[in-house]
Amino acid sequence: MPYVVRNSMWIDVDINSPINLQTYNCCMTLTDVHGDNDNKFVVVDFGSGSSSPQIKIFKGLKQTHIIHLNEKPSAIVTVYTDNSDQHIPCIAVVIKNEIYFYRNCKPYHKYSIHSTTLKDTEECKLWQETEGAFDLLKHLQVLSSTIGFVNLSTTSQQMLCLNECYIEEYFLKHKKNKLMKQHTITCVTELKRNLADVHGVSCLVIATTDKISILDTESFKILPDKYELQGETAYMCAIGLYNVDYKILVATRTGRLYIFSKSSTSGYKVEVTHAIVAVILRIDKFICCTIDGLLQCYTLKCVSLWNVKLPGDPTCMTNMYVKSMSLEFTIVSCITSNVDGLTKGLILMFSGSTIVHKILMPDPVTCIMFGKFGQEENALIMISSKSKVDIKLLKRTATFDLCARPTLTAPTPGNLSIPKRSNVFIEQTLREREHCNEMHVRTQQTWQTLQIIVLNERINSIKQKITNQFLHTSAQLLGLGPRFKIRFFLKNLSKEPLIGINVAFLYNAQYHTIESPSCSMPIIVPDKEIYCETFVTFCTYGGSDERAIDIVVSQRANILYRAKVNMPVYNIQTNIEESNKT
Amino acid sequence: MNFWRKLTRFMGVFGRTPRRRKVRALLVGLNNAGKSTLLHRLKADRERNVSRKPIAPTIGFTTDTFLFNNVKFTVNDMSGRDGYRSMWEPMYAQCDAIVFVLDSTDQLRFAVVKDELDMMLRHPDVAARPGLPILFVANKAAAPDACSASTVAGALALHERIEPDRPWRLATTDAAAAPGQPVDDGLREAVEWLVDTINVTDRR
């Protein structure tokens, strides 16, 4: 019986008839296709390659609709195109340079980006002037390496990709035609127009090979905002509202990250060293996962916040927002290999740079999706490398341990967070520079005063008489003077041995000298008496209260016992006389 | 003579008619299972003129009463949403029966139902009362993608999960059916069973 472990945070859905899907992260979405308040799982199944790709719509675990596609799509996204009360969205499917809109699983609209004709470029001259097909091919290859393959016309691009035996034919066919540049859509994402509501009308942000444009889905017209960048867009995220302010994060295939916003057209830029696996855009930061297993977080001004080394190779990443707990996590799927060389999947959930939860999967997970599925708010859909679909639902009673733990943090490259140079900051710096000497003296004085206070307190604490019930002591004073021997006995009355005992003799240097004013005792076993001895020599005459010697017994820093030994009043002169007489 | 016969018959009627009793039932189940609709339906059997507006999701809980075979049911209709499911627990102590409504079309969340059921059966107020009857109602049985009662019972492993001495029963129904139509889906029998069971357990 598949039984859910009580302490686990996830409920595994029993999928009786396994669902197999071949897809990518950008080709799946969770959306309310029919407007019946029940989120469906919309996914492009690329199949095994023999059949054409299909869009499959799952209501719960049951597949309800199939839309057949002629070509392989590059992305699908759902958008609300009107403000009607029915709330039926369109599924926008991007194929080459066209976007097909399906509504209620029926074709609704088609938008295509027109190809442009190239005139008076170097490429046109090459096509007109060159006679042989292979000469042209050579020239085009040179041109491609100088200006880039992307910037060539589609006609030339196709020629460069052709098999050698078809080149002659292709050349003759296209020689007299005009050079066409077809813009392929590589990425698409939605951007809400006026309302941040789920059912709000969206715009489509379209990334072609060389620029980013925004399509209004109500009128199917391109809006005036356009952004240019270098390199092909591989991943894109958008946040905000078109009419208010928005940010678009674009990641190119070569590892460049751009941030465009409504207010500025240029955009900030970061370059990462390795290819990007996935990006997530949040309100104040973005997270980028690279192929070398590094999870990096930057602010929107491209200042690095933190880096985390992942335990394996990342395959995909998604955002997880748990509404009931108001928590936002980053889910990263990694491939880990154990000692036997078997690869396993590992799903990590990050809150900031801290791992809050881990899920081990038997197979590497290639696609991951989190959101509302059916009636369940927090569903995690995973597709493994063996194209098996796994669904986990977050338990109602699940809690995440959010306390910060040390993680494998990679060194942050440069980009220290320097405080902003405000007026107050500059003035303070100047003042500090002018009065450096004074500041130093003041600090040193305060430090010394503190030291003196601490020492005084220590002496005061020592001077108080302390007795210990476990320690029996007695002192003997031997000799006639001026040189005496002090023998100090210690007896351990407790049941445990005393270790690390020190005996110190405090004296006034005006009157006496003591040969060894402190001695460390060996271990004192219970009911055993040991003693230490030292010599005291009198230097001056006279009697006063300050002649007494203090004996302090301490165990490390603790003072166990303190007592006073009154020294006999000794007059050197008289004693010598007395001894002479005798 | 005639008078006496009349009087005995009159008394006999009183004797045979049981006293109107009160039953406190707890209506639980996941969101969108059809708890409020079911309650609406049970009420509508008596009051034909209930408006058939679409029922909005319950927030917190609502309390309603209806009369069934001379038994007055006071039903606490709990909300089944994530955030409100924790409110079920304090209600277990003060009910005579639990009605657990399931959406038989929502196969995906059978696992969630299983989890909630486990938590309910493990709760001290329920575990300490093995006589507390549970009526499972597999709703939306008329939908084309609905599972049969045996599938539901199998998917939830009801036979293994519930203690052997606890009275329980699984009924299928379509609570959203129009009140005018003759509905023969076992809901009535199930509620009758519930009344009988509470009778039995009361006498014990």
Side-chain angles (χ1 to χ4, degrees), chain B residues 1-13:
Chain B
M1 189 65 198
N2 203 8
F3 170 71
W4 279 111
R5 190 180 295 163
K6 268 186 181 169
L7 188 69
T8 47
R9 189 182 289 166
F10 188 58
M11 294 302 285
V13 166

Side-chain angles (χ1 to χ4, degrees), chain B residues 11-22:
Chain B
M11 294 302 285
V13 166
F14 266 103
R16 251 184 279 129
T17 319
R19 260 192 312 125
R20 177 182 287 188
R21 291 192 307 113
K22 282 178 185 173

Side-chain angles (χ1 to χ4, degrees), chain B residues 20-21 23 41-43 45-46 65-73 186-196:
Chain B
R20 177 182 287 188
R21 291 192 307 113
V23 169
R41 156 87 189 283
L42 288 166
K43 270 181 79 178
D45 275 355
R46 179 58 68 101
T65 56
F66 67 90
L67 211 60
F68 183 90
N69 283 2
N70 221 15
V71 178
K72 192 182 181 189
F73 275 85
L187 181 66
R188 232 189 139 68
E189 286 158 40
V191 181
E192 271 165 19
W193 167 84
L194 198 66
V195 173
D196 288 346

